[in-house]
Amino acid sequence: MKQIDVCFTPDLLHLHTIENTIVVVADVFRATSCMVTAFAYGVKSITPVATIDECRLLQERGYMAAAERNARKVEGFELDNSPFTYMNEQIRGADIAMTTTNGTLAITRSRGAVKVLVGSFLNLDAIANFLKTEPYDVMVLCAGWKGRVNLEDTLFAGALVDRLKDNYAMAEDSAIMAWRLYGQGKDNLIGYMSNASHIRRLQRLGIQKDITYCLQHDLYDVIPVLRGNALVGMEG
Amino acid sequence: MKQIDVCFTPDLLHLHTIENTIVVVADVFRATSCMVTAFAYGVKSITPVATIDECRLLQERGYMAAAERNARKVEGFELDNSPFTYMNEQIRGADIAMTTTNGTLAITRSRGAVKVLVGSFLNLDAIANFLKTEPYDVMVLCAGWKGRVNLEDTLFAGALVDRLKDNYAMAEDSAIMAWRLYGQGKDNLIGYMSNASHIRRLQRLGIQKDITYCLQHDLYDVIPVLRGNALVGMEG
């Protein structure tokens, strides 16, 4: 039976071998939810970069650009880190450069995997259905917060474990833990997360609307997948 | 309000500052449960060491010695890594040297904290009551399995968070996650952990009796605490 593993944070990636594995990166609030939304609205590519300087460089070459640090938009970039930014005719066909506190790093560190997919609750079912047709083991890489584990990405991992539990064995306790937490919280994810650190951080910034949006399941069929240095959209 | 934090594995210790914190180390199956049992049965000191060679050296100097790797006793040491080994008149007043796959390393890496305490379900209440009287923040360090998170140590962390929730705020999502998991599993911990990796590992070794024993709450009042290089017993 294929195995599904969960890595709670990029700071534990050294414990995992990903060469023969499909990695699903999740940064639910909000980077990967933005990416999925962007592809659903017709973006052509998203290039994740590590630094604000690299992002600016690509912007100068004609990319639309988004930069976020500590959950806030960085000055001088046209796109925000809110998914609502991407619900916009202007972005159809665009090449986007993006750097975020956690999510883009998690993607670039996953190079070396068989495939790197971008996951969120918004495309959960598309991801699950695609994986069922693949012969490889799966690892969900939670982006976390500056190396720390967080609840929302773990819950996404648990949701994917739940959708795949008839097709994949849980590799380690982290998969069991994520699955248990999702089972406990799934009927009221917002209430369940009410005391989580990033929820409080986002609420201080007044973006409850984004939280509600990012927790919706199965809104889009698109799966962003890494090709070379850029993500492109693949229909699930 | 004081804060309680949970570090899921020693491989995430670099994200935490412990200088002004009391660290509670947990390796429920079975190192810290053994240590608590040993002090309850009158051991004078336990010196945790990193390598089998160091353990042998102390043995040659007259220590009783225990060495475990991959959940198995290492040849040439008199004490096993089962708590039942320590329920024995022979160990009263003994100085013990011990090396284990995960637990002893977690202890030695916690040097630098205000205090390093050894926790298990067996002395949960003693630990909780002691901490309530202290002015410091607390971090539970789960020993995990070779850097990976595990369910049983996380559940212990959650149990301690639960006992302290009126006195300490949960510092980060890891504390919330541990607390949620304990709340979900506490009424039937053995059943709840039935598919966990280390439970399966231990069951293959035929030590169900140890598992049942290590999950008992509040059996002893003793708290092993690190003084210099050795643990000594402190009444809770």
Side-chain angles (χ1 to χ4, degrees):
Chain A
M1 201 176 190
K2 296 181 284 185
Q3 293 208 317
I4 182 160
D5 202 357
V6 175
C7 182
F8 280 149
T9 138
D11 279 35
L12 292 176
L13 200 51
H14 60 279
L15 299 168
H16 299 261
T17 52
I18 58 173
E19 287 70 23
N20 295 306
T21 301
I22 296 179
V23 173
V24 180
V25 177
D27 184 1
V28 166
F29 297 145
R30 293 169 289 167
T32 61
S33 297
C34 283
M35 290 168 175
V36 170
T37 303
F39 282 107
Y41 278 79
V43 157
K44 186 173 156 211
S45 76
I46 299 177
T47 303
V49 295
T51 67
I52 291 169
D53 281 349
E54 287 173 86
C55 204
R56 200 161 279 135
L57 215 64
L58 289 178
Q59 191 185 31
E60 287 164 8
R61 291 196 209 146
Y63 286 66
M64 293 181 83
E68 167 268 334
R69 286 296 179 270
N70 298 316
R72 291 171 189 274
K73 181 176 184 292
V74 179
E75 280 302 304
F77 294 95
E78 55 266 63
L79 295 166
D80 196 359
N81 199 39
S82 162
F84 292 98
T85 305
Y86 299 88
M87 298 175 187
N88 184 330
E89 267 304 310
Q90 282 195 311
I91 66 158
R92 185 165 299 278
D95 292 303
I96 291 177
M98 190 184 288
T99 182
T100 74
T101 310
N102 305 291
T104 50
L105 183 73
I107 293 169
T108 52
R109 289 189 59 185
S110 299
R111 282 177 190 143
V114 171
K115 284 191 176 69
V116 181
L117 311 180
V118 166
S120 71
F121 287 108
L122 304 171
N123 69 340
L124 175 60
D125 223 33
I127 296 260
N129 290 334
F130 173 76
L131 291 173
K132 286 177 191 169
T133 67
E134 291 283 309
Y136 300 100
D137 290 341
V138 169
M139 188 187 78
V140 185
L141 175 56
C142 301
W145 182 261
K146 299 183 178 178
R148 294 230 179 184
V149 304
N150 72 26
L151 189 53
E152 63 272 17
D153 296 338
T154 304
L155 288 170
F156 167 80
L160 189 58
V161 170
D162 193 56
R163 298 265 170 122
L164 294 176
K165 66 180 186 297
D166 296 334
N167 308 79
Y168 290 77
M170 299 181 212
E172 292 281 343
D173 285 10
S174 49
I176 297 171
M177 288 163 64
W179 179 65
R180 292 283 197 189
L181 288 166
Y182 180 71
Q184 192 181 38
K186 67 182 174 188
D187 292 333
N188 178 14
L189 284 178
I190 293 181
Y192 189 68
M193 282 195 278
S194 59
N195 58 351
S197 58
H198 199 48
I199 285 271
R200 286 179 287 153
R201 198 178 292 122
L202 291 174
Q203 282 170 337
R204 282 194 299 273
L205 298 172
I207 40 186
Q208 179 64 47
K209 191 174 71 157
D210 286 16
I211 295 171
T212 309
Y213 173 80
C214 293
L215 294 177
Q216 290 178 96
H217 289 44
D218 310 324
L219 227 50
Y220 306 119
D221 261 340
V222 71
I223 302 171
V225 56
L226 196 63
R227 295 242 189 281
N229 291 325
L231 296 161
V232 296
M234 171 171 79
E235 288 302 313
Chain B
M1 202 175 189
K2 296 181 284 185
Q3 293 208 317
I4 184 161
D5 201 358
V6 174
C7 181
F8 280 149
T9 135
D11 280 35
L12 293 176
L13 199 51
H14 61 279
L15 299 168
H16 300 260
T17 52
I18 58 172
E19 287 70 23
N20 295 306
T21 301
I22 296 179
V23 173
V24 180
V25 177
D27 184 1
V28 167
F29 297 146
R30 294 170 289 168
T32 61
S33 298
C34 283
M35 290 169 176
V36 170
T37 303
F39 283 107
Y41 278 80
V43 157
K44 187 174 154 210
S45 76
I46 298 177
T47 303
V49 295
T51 67
I52 291 169
D53 282 348
E54 288 172 87
C55 204
R56 201 162 277 135
L57 215 63
L58 289 178
Q59 191 185 32
E60 287 164 9
R61 292 194 209 149
Y63 285 65
M64 293 182 81
E68 167 268 334
R69 285 296 179 272
N70 297 317
R72 292 170 189 275
K73 181 178 184 292
V74 178
E75 279 302 305
F77 295 95
E78 54 268 61
L79 295 166
D80 197 359
N81 199 40
S82 164
F84 292 98
T85 306
Y86 299 88
M87 298 175 186
N88 184 329
E89 268 304 311
Q90 283 194 312
I91 66 156
R92 186 166 295 280
D95 293 304
I96 290 177
M98 189 184 287
T99 183
T100 73
T101 310
N102 306 291
T104 51
L105 183 74
I107 293 169
T108 53
R109 289 188 60 186
S110 299
R111 282 177 190 143
V114 172
K115 284 190 176 68
V116 181
L117 311 181
V118 166
S120 70
F121 288 107
L122 304 172
N123 69 340
L124 175 61
D125 224 31
I127 296 258
N129 290 332
F130 173 77
L131 291 172
K132 285 178 192 169
T133 68
E134 291 282 310
Y136 300 100
D137 290 341
V138 169
M139 187 187 79
V140 185
L141 175 56
C142 301
W145 182 261
K146 298 182 178 178
R148 293 232 180 182
V149 305
N150 72 26
L151 189 52
E152 62 271 18
D153 297 338
T154 304
L155 288 170
F156 167 81
L160 190 59
V161 171
D162 193 55
R163 298 267 170 122
L164 294 175
K165 66 179 185 299
D166 295 334
N167 309 79
Y168 290 78
M170 298 181 213
E172 292 280 344
D173 286 9
S174 49
I176 297 171
M177 288 162 63
W179 178 64
R180 292 282 196 190
L181 288 166
Y182 180 71
Q184 191 181 40
K186 66 183 174 187
D187 292 333
N188 177 14
L189 284 178
I190 292 181
Y192 190 68
M193 283 195 278
S194 59
N195 58 349
S197 59
H198 199 48
I199 286 272
R200 286 180 285 152
R201 200 179 290 122
L202 291 174
Q203 283 171 338
R204 282 195 298 274
L205 298 171
I207 40 187
Q208 180 64 46
K209 192 174 70 155
D210 286 17
I211 295 171
T212 309
Y213 173 80
C214 294
L215 293 177
Q216 291 179 94
H217 289 43
D218 310 325
L219 228 49
Y220 306 121
D221 262 340
V222 69
I223 303 171
V225 55
L226 196 63
R227 295 244 189 280
N229 290 325
L231 297 161
V232 296
M234 172 172 78
E235 287 304 313

